[in-house]
Amino acid sequence: MRYYRPETTADAIIALSSEPDTARVIVGGTDLLVAYRHDKVDPSLLVDIKRVADLPAPIAVDDEGITFGPTATMTMVATDPTVRKWLPGLAEAALLVGSVAIRNRASLIANSANGSPAADTSPPLVAMGASVTIASTEGERTADLKDFFLGPRRTLCQPGELVTSLRVPRPPHGASSAFERMTRRRGVDLATCSIGVAVDADGRLTAGLGAVGPITLVGGPTDPVDVSSPDELQNALDLLLAPATPIGDVRAGQPYRAAMLRVLAKRAVIRAAQRRGLAEHGRVSETRDS
Ligand SMILES: Cc1cc2nc3c(=O)[nH]c(=O)nc-3n(C[C@@H](O)[C@@H](O)[C@H](O)COP(=O)(O)OP(=O)(O)OC[C@H]3O[C@@H](n4cnc5c(N)ncnc54)[C@H](O)[C@@H]3O)c2cc1C
C-alpha cells in the first residue's frame, strides 16, 4: 500500500481518479484503518488530504450558514461556539462520537462519507437541511445530504471523487435542534438507534433517523406542532418515525429498537422545542456536556 500527501485539491483528485477502484481518501483513519484491519478494504493508495491547502477551512461561518471542510474533527464541531449556538443538535451528536481520542481524529464529513446508517452526525445534519459538495476531474456538484446516501457504504461520492465541503444553512431566529442516541457501551460501540430533530421557526419538525434502516432516513416535515398537546405530539412522532424500518441484530431486537426509537424521538422533539422557546426569548441555546 502506498501513501500520498497532496498539497492541492487538484492533485488529490488526480491521484484518486488514477486508481479509482483502489485508492482511498484518508483523514482520521478511524473507519478506514479499522476496515483495513478487518480485511474489508485493501487500498492500493492512501490519499491523505489533511495538508491540502486549498480545501475549505475546518469551520467557516457566514451570515447564511456554516461550511465544514474535510478536516473538521468531531472535537472542533462539538466545541465551536457558533455550532453550539446555531446547531445544538449537531454539537450534541459530535460530542457523543467515540471517546476523546476518537473525536480528536474522526472527521465530520467522513462520518457521512463512510456511508454507515449508524453514523451519529448524519441524522442531525439531514434534519437541518445540510448539503455536500463533491469534486472530481469533471468539476464540482452539490447535493442535499438526504439524497447522498444510496445504501450501506454506498453514497453519491463515486470512486475517484472527493467530498470537499458540507454546508448547513443558518437556522432562522426561533428554530433549534436536538439529538438523542442509544448505544450499548459509550466510546466503543455504534448507535443502536438515534434521532436528530430540527424544529423551524413555525414549529415544524424534521427528523433524521439513524440505525433504523439501510441509510440515514428523513422523517417529516410535519405541520407546526404544539408539543405541549399530547395528541399533537403523538401524531408528530408517528409522522417523524414513519420511514423507520428497524431490524433486530446484535445490538437490539426489532421491537426493543422500535420502542426505544420512539422514546428518543419524544425526548429530542421536546428538547428542541424547549430550545426554540429559549431562542425566541433571546437566550443562547445550550448543548449538554457529556
Ligand atoms: C473506537 C471507535 C469508536 C467510534 N464511535 C463512533 C460513534 O460513537 N459514533 C459514530 O458515528 N462513529 C463512531 N466511530 C466511527 C467514526 O470515528 C468515523 O465514522 C469517523 O467520523 C470517520 O472520520 P475519519 O476522518 O476517521 O475517516 P476515515 O477513516 O479517514 O475515512 C472513512 C471513509 O470515508 C472516506 N472519506 C473520508 N473523507 C472523505 C472525503 N472528504 N471525501 C470522500 N470520501 C472520504 C474514506 O476514504 C473512508 O472510506 C467510531 C470509530 C472507532 C474506531
Side-chain angles (χ1 to χ4, degrees), residues 59-68 82 86 167-171:
I59 300 180
V61 179
D62 59 59
D63 287 346
E64 309 294 316
I66 304 181
T67 301
F68 298 94
T82 311
W86 290 1
R167 171 114 178 134
V168 185
R170 179 180 184 167

Side-chain angles (χ1 to χ4, degrees), residues 4 10 20 109 123 162 175 229 251 258 284:
Y4 174 49
I109 285 181
L162 180 66
S229 155
R251 293 193 170 82
V284 172

